[in-house]
Amino acid sequence: QVELVESGGGSVQAGGSLKLSCAASYVIFGTYCMGWFRQAPGKGREWVAQLENDGTTNYTDSVKGRFTISANNDDYTLYLQMNNLKLEDTAMYYCAGRPRLGPVCYETYSRWGQGTQVTVSS
């Protein structure tokens, strides 16, 4: 059973924008804290952004001011708005969830989507 489904990837020129979506089940949204990761060719998986249980957001330094993570709790969709894209943003982007217990988000991500490719060209 596929629980997280990403979409919205594609090819864009440097400086352009894309908005990624991640469709999740209501179970996932209710019991997991959500985030985005990416993996560039030949590199390891990199954490990009995440939502905390209180709604605050955190970003890796390289995307601060350019990317925005958000969620629609009515239709259980996670988003990543990416502006001013750079060549180094080229990667497979993954939606992921880490368990939540009450007000606490655990650190380890345990639910993963299959990814959506983002390619930035000059």
Side-chain angles (χ1 to χ4, degrees):
Q1 179 180 357
V2 178
E3 297 176 309
L4 299 172
V5 181
E6 301 95 336
S7 62
S11 297
V12 64
Q13 287 191 321
S17 298
L18 283 173
K19 187 173 185 177
L20 306 184
S21 300
C22 172
S25 69
Y26 77 95
V27 172
I28 292 292
F29 250 59
T31 56
Y32 287 80
C33 297
M34 304 300 294
W36 288 96
F37 286 73
R38 66 186 179 185
Q39 187 166 16
K43 296 187 177 181
R45 190 170 291 182
E46 175 190 27
W47 169 75
V48 175
Q50 66 187 26
L51 283 169
E52 304 300 334
N53 198 42
D54 62 359
T56 58
T57 56
N58 290 295
Y59 301 91
T60 192
D61 286 346
S62 63
V63 308
K64 284 181 181 176
R66 300 189 298 121
F67 290 13
T68 303
I69 186 172
S70 63
N72 184 330
N73 293 318
D74 292 331
D75 63 9
Y76 317 120
T77 303
L78 182 72
Y79 298 101
L80 186 67
Q81 176 68 47
M82 306 185 296
N83 297 328
N84 190 20
L85 283 160
K86 302 178 179 181
L87 298 178
E88 53 264 39
D89 295 319
T90 294
M92 184 72 79
Y93 283 73
Y94 298 90
C95 168
R98 63 199 198 280
R100 171 169 53 203
L101 182 62
V104 176
C105 296
Y106 287 85
E107 290 191 5
T108 303
Y109 283 84
S110 57
R111 292 289 186 267
W112 297 88
Q114 296 178 321
T116 186
Q117 178 68 38
V118 172
T119 302
V120 184
S121 61
S122 59

